[in-house]
């Protein structure tokens, strides 16, 4: 029997074992965040183990085991007997940092529980609806997503000034705020449920005071727009719901208004490995009908619901689709 040469980079033994033991590292990070270990380390330079023991009621010897493990995981460093946050943990894992992602990570840890149903989804074709948790996780990723969105906007050959824009299901608002910062004459409505409104408005007061005249959070859509942003949403609900949603959004576009879709897509090129495959499996495990579309499938959905594809931008990590609405 002949052999087939792999075109994919092989994984070494360490990488294989890291996958197998990944749950251990995940659990340790989750536990450390719940107990604010990184905050305590940031604020304490003497008797750290004793301080953490007193605050958390963990035995001192077990605290030391935890701290040493976090050093091994490169989440802490150690100088003599003093533990220090690394640059990354200080930036992303300390709650006082503006770039803190602990809330997002907590939802990721919670989401992993649903993967126990992988056997059921695969062997019995029975699916579980965990889509709201995944959507919430996605919407709580402002600090991770904002730099990506700013870069994406800079690649689009559009001037959004004097345009009325809807950021649909905005979450904590990375698209809305990126647009407001770059286009001071744009008028932007950010739509989502009330649970995101408080954080959205607090961020405006703290970081975007100059944008208050051209951006607002809304809980119902009663206007027409030049552009509607639909980011990372279609894959959670599948084809039929996506068609219904696109028809509904088209009613809120002005004549020849445009919808901008940024989402995870399978590549239409065969044999090209991508994290989209992992996320597609996640949709199988966590949603009742969701799944990752190919770019061609997404374009077909838009055309079936009355849109004309205007442009496809090969942005990274995923493309942006822009479609123009015909007169409704």
């Amino acid at each position: 029997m002949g052999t087939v040469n792999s075109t994919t980079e092989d994984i070494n033994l360490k990488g294989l074992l890291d996958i197998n033991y990944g749950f251990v590292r995940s659990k340790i990070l989750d536990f450390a965040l719940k107990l604010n270990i990184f905050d305590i380390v940031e604020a304490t330079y003497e008797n750290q183990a004793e301080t953490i023991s007193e605050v958390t009621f963990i035995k001192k010897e077990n605290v030391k085991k935890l701290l040493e493990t976090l050093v091994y995981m490169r989440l802490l460093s150690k100088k003599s007997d003093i533990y220090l946050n690394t640059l990354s943990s200080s930036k992303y894992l300390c709650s006082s940092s503006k770039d803190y992602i602990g809330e997002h990570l907590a939802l990721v840890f919670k989401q992993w529980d649903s993967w126990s149903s992988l056997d059921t989804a695969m062997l019995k074709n029975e699916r579980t609806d965990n889509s709201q948790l995944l959507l919430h996780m996605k919407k709580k990723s402002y600090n991770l997503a904002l730099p990506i969105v700013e870069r994406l906007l800079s690649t689009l050959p559009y001037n959004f000034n004097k345009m009325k824009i809807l950021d649909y299901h905005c979450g904590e608002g990375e698209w809305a705020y990126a647009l407001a910062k770059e286009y001071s004459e744009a008028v932007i409505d950010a739509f989502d449920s009330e649970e995101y409104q408080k954080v959205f408005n607090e961020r405006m007061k703290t970081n975007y005071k100059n944008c208050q005249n051209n951006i607002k959070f809304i809980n119902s859509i009663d206007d027409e727009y030049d552009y509607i942003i639909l980011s990372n949403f279609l894959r959670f609900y599948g084809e039929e719901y996506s068609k219904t949603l696109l028809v509904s959004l088209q009613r809120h576009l002005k004549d020849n208004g445009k919808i901008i879709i940024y989402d995870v897509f399978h590549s239409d090129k065969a044999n090209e490995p991508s994290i989209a495959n992992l996320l597609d499996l996640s949709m199988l495990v966590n949603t009742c009908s969701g799944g990752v579309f190919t770019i061609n499938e997404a374009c077909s959905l838009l055309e079936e619901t009355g849109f004309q594809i205007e442009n496809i931008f090969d942005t990274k990590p995923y493309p942006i689709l822009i479609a123009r609405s015909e007169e409704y």
Side-chain angles (χ1 to χ4, degrees):
M1 180 181 293
T3 60
V4 178
N5 292 326
S6 173
T7 58
T8 303
E9 184 178 350
D10 196 10
I11 189 169
N12 60 25
L13 180 58
K14 181 182 182 302
L16 185 63
L17 293 174
D18 282 347
I19 292 173
N20 187 238
Y21 286 100
F23 75 95
V24 177
R25 295 170 182 259
S26 177
K27 183 60 181 177
I28 291 168
L29 176 56
D30 184 25
F31 184 72
L33 283 169
K34 286 177 179 176
L35 295 181
N36 298 315
I37 297 297
F38 303 102
D39 287 341
I40 298 173
V41 167
E42 191 81 359
T44 310
Y45 298 98
E46 295 181 354
N47 304 317
Q48 290 170 304
E50 290 89 341
T51 300
I52 294 172
S53 179
E54 290 174 4
V55 172
T56 63
F57 303 103
I58 302 172
K59 289 182 179 180
K60 180 180 173 181
E61 55 266 34
N62 289 341
V63 170
K64 288 185 175 180
K65 291 178 182 180
L66 176 61
L67 293 174
E68 290 295 332
T69 302
L70 292 171
V71 172
Y72 169 74
M73 292 169 61
R74 299 183 182 180
L75 296 174
L76 295 179
S77 61
K78 188 179 181 182
K79 188 174 183 180
S80 297
D81 293 327
I82 303 299
Y83 296 93
L84 301 167
N85 283 313
T86 62
L87 290 175
S88 293
S89 59
S90 183
K91 181 176 182 180
Y92 296 115
L93 303 179
C94 289
S95 61
S96 58
S97 170
K98 66 180 181 62
D99 297 310
Y100 179 65
I101 62 168
E103 291 182 356
H104 171 77
L105 291 177
L107 290 167
V108 174
F109 297 135
K110 187 175 181 181
Q111 185 259 326
W112 285 123
D113 293 340
S114 63
W115 280 86
S116 60
S117 61
L118 176 62
D119 292 7
T120 302
M122 295 294 288
L123 298 174
K124 298 183 180 180
N125 198 32
E126 296 176 2
R127 301 177 66 166
T128 303
D129 186 10
N130 201 31
S131 56
Q132 290 307 308
L133 175 60
L134 263 66
L135 279 168
H136 191 46
M137 183 177 79
K138 187 265 295 186
K139 293 178 184 182
K140 298 290 285 186
S141 61
Y142 175 89
N143 292 324
L144 295 171
L146 180 63
I148 296 173
V149 173
E150 289 179 324
R151 178 177 56 78
L152 292 172
L153 284 175
S154 70
T155 67
L156 297 181
Y158 293 89
N159 186 344
F160 294 101
N161 273 324
K162 299 182 179 179
M163 297 290 124
K164 189 168 179 62
I165 304 166
L166 172 66
D167 182 6
Y168 183 78
H169 275 284
C170 63
E172 295 190 352
E174 57 268 14
W175 282 88
Y177 284 122
L179 282 162
K181 283 172 61 181
E182 185 67 23
Y183 300 97
S184 59
E185 297 180 57
V187 178
I188 303 156
D189 286 349
F191 166 80
D192 214 315
S193 56
E194 290 184 4
E195 65 180 304
Y196 300 103
Q197 186 167 4
K198 181 179 178 181
V199 174
F200 187 98
N201 289 337
E202 285 177 352
R203 183 171 286 116
M204 183 188 295
K205 292 176 183 177
T206 304
N207 299 319
Y208 302 98
K209 294 178 182 178
N210 295 332
C211 300
Q212 292 188 21
N213 292 328
N214 68 322
I215 183 172
K216 67 178 185 293
F217 191 100
I218 61 174
N219 301 118
S220 61
I221 305 172
D222 304 309
D223 212 337
E224 292 186 336
Y225 298 89
D226 298 291
Y227 290 92
I228 294 178
I229 310 289
L230 183 61
S231 173
N232 287 300
F233 199 77
L234 287 180
R235 69 179 182 272
F236 291 93
Y237 292 107
E239 183 176 352
E240 291 307 313
Y241 180 89
S242 295
K243 287 180 181 178
T244 302
L245 174 63
L246 290 169
V247 169
S248 175
L249 290 178
Q250 190 183 46
R251 296 192 180 105
H252 294 287
L253 280 170
K254 297 178 181 179
D255 291 349
N256 292 315
K258 299 177 179 66
I259 188 166
I260 299 176
I261 296 178
Y262 180 72
D263 212 319
V264 176
F265 294 110
H266 286 302
S267 171
D268 290 308
K269 299 177 182 178
N271 300 321
E272 186 172 301
S274 168
I275 195 174
N277 299 106
L278 175 61
L279 294 174
D280 200 5
L281 191 61
S282 178
M283 295 302 103
L284 177 69
V285 173
N286 289 288
T287 72
C288 288
S289 56
V292 175
F293 295 111
T294 67
I295 299 169
N296 285 340
E297 288 169 341
C299 289
S300 295
L301 277 176
L302 287 161
E303 291 167 351
E304 287 177 32
T305 50
F307 288 91
Q308 294 182 351
I309 306 300
E310 181 172 282
N311 234 320
I312 301 175
F313 294 96
D314 188 20
T315 49
K316 304 298 181 184
Y318 302 105
I320 290 178
L321 308 184
I322 298 184
R324 186 175 66 254
S325 172
E326 299 176 346
E327 185 175 352
Y328 190 78

